[in-house]
Amino acid sequence: MWETVLDCLVDTLKVFPFLFLIYVLIELLEHRTTLTQNKKILQGELAPLIGSATGIIPQCGFSVMAAKLYDRGFIRTGTLLAVFIATSDEALIIMLAELSHAGMIMPLICAKLVIAVFVGYFANFILRRERLAEIGMTADIRSQSLCHEHDGKSDLTIYLVSPLLHSLKIALYLFFVNVVFGCIIEAAGADAINAAIIGGGPFVQPLITALLGMIPNCASSTILTTAYLNNGILFGSFVGGLCCNAGLGLVVLLKNTKKIKRNLMIIAVLYVVAVVSGIVINAVMQVI
């Protein structure tokens, strides 16, 4: 158990710099009108593409950043989905460590990029009337409604101390959730989980791997990757599982209980996309 707790602590420490960075960014976006050009990056037409490319980087911290930006209304739903789908947590690192399996990395990246970009743009098109926070106007609104909150506070407090405190609170929350899921996985046993996955066929495996991928712990991506490298699951099942592997980004999203219905809907869409993608890829691979 203590090994699990230590692993969860290390995972949380890895994410902490991203949490701090995103809270600093949020403060800047909300109070500095000179940063309005960021609207083109966060809310522009290239946002899902940029989000997908960012998500590919093997670090779940980017999904955490996307979740916080989405919660503040700075990015669209499609952009959030693109980041979540593209994220693969530890999978790419494990595959890179196994030189004999390095050739499998590009097909995985290409598959996830195509799915992420398509879903991102499709969702943004469907939700094209989605209301977002006007980054350029936010500073003026916030300066009027929160003037008393920042009275007498220096820039150091607003842009450094406050983000640091927020980051620490979220980090503790993530650590607790990570420990809970880590202990559950340890109790169930990786071998038992692998056996349950392998037992399914090309149309059942994605249903199981997608559920496993949703577990906000790096153990889920490790189990999926190990099973695939050992020929335990099909490529489509592997892709489907990793399409749900947004890691701690899902935890951050669910922390906002005021919008729980919206957040659960996003998770449901993520699961359906992962399962359908996995089944389709498995079917195509069988034909080929």
Side-chain angles (χ1 to χ4, degrees):
M1 175 181 175
W2 290 113
E3 185 178 350
T4 300
V5 173
L6 181 60
D7 289 340
C8 293
L9 178 60
V10 171
D11 290 339
T12 304
L13 290 176
K14 287 180 181 178
V15 173
F16 184 78
F18 290 90
L19 287 172
F20 177 67
L21 177 62
I22 194 60
Y23 275 112
V24 171
L25 177 61
I26 287 172
E27 291 293 343
L28 289 171
L29 289 173
E30 291 185 336
H31 299 94
R32 297 289 185 182
T33 54
T34 55
L35 291 176
T36 54
Q37 63 266 27
N38 284 286
K39 180 177 179 180
K40 297 179 180 179
I41 299 175
L42 298 175
Q43 302 175 357
E45 293 183 359
L46 292 177
L49 181 61
I50 295 173
S52 300
T54 302
I56 286 295
I57 299 173
Q59 171 55 258
C60 68
F62 289 107
S63 68
V64 172
M65 292 176 66
K68 291 306 300 180
L69 287 172
Y70 179 71
D71 207 35
R72 293 299 183 98
F74 290 140
I75 63 174
R76 298 180 181 277
T77 302
T79 305
L80 175 74
L81 287 171
V83 176
F84 278 7
I85 292 170
T87 300
S88 300
D89 207 358
E90 303 289 332
L92 296 182
I93 296 176
I94 295 172
M95 295 177 77
L96 283 171
E98 298 283 345
L99 295 179
S100 59
H101 300 292
M104 301 177 181
I105 294 176
M106 283 310 298
L108 173 64
I109 291 177
C110 290
K112 284 175 66 67
L113 271 177
V114 169
I115 297 169
V117 171
F118 174 78
V119 172
Y121 277 105
F122 182 74
N124 279 351
F125 174 75
I126 296 296
L127 302 173
R128 54 188 177 277
R129 295 184 179 179
E130 182 178 16
R131 295 184 63 182
L132 298 171
E134 289 290 337
I135 297 174
M137 297 173 61
T138 304
D140 296 330
I141 297 173
R142 296 275 296 186
S143 63
Q144 293 174 18
S145 61
L146 301 179
C147 58
H148 297 296
E149 179 184 338
H150 295 300
D151 262 354
K153 291 187 178 180
S154 64
D155 285 348
L156 181 66
T157 301
I158 296 172
Y159 301 113
L160 183 62
V161 177
S162 181
L164 183 61
L165 293 176
H166 281 299
S167 302
L168 287 171
K169 290 179 182 178
I170 295 295
L172 288 173
Y173 174 76
L174 295 179
F175 174 69
F176 174 76
V177 174
N178 222 357
V179 168
V180 171
F181 279 104
C183 290
I184 292 174
I185 292 175
E186 184 181 14
D191 292 337
I193 295 174
N194 276 327
I197 298 174
I198 294 171
F203 304 114
V204 176
Q205 279 186 3
L207 293 168
I208 303 172
T209 57
L211 279 176
L212 180 60
M214 280 191 168
I215 297 175
N217 186 289
C218 65
S220 60
S221 61
T222 301
I223 292 173
L224 287 169
T225 307
T226 303
Y228 175 66
L229 294 181
N230 291 326
N231 298 316
I233 58 175
L234 300 171
F235 179 68
S237 307
F238 183 44
V239 172
L242 292 183
C243 280
C244 277
N245 202 231
L248 297 176
L250 294 175
V251 179
V252 173
L253 189 68
L254 288 172
K255 192 175 186 299
N256 186 350
T257 55
K258 293 181 179 179
K259 297 184 179 180
I260 190 66
K261 290 183 179 179
R262 180 205 66 179
N263 296 336
L264 289 176
M265 181 63 69
I266 290 172
I267 292 175
V269 170
L270 191 65
Y271 179 74
V272 170
V273 167
V275 171
V276 171
S277 299
I279 291 175
V280 169
I281 293 175
N282 281 344
V284 171
M285 294 292 286
Q286 284 197 330
V287 172
I288 295 176

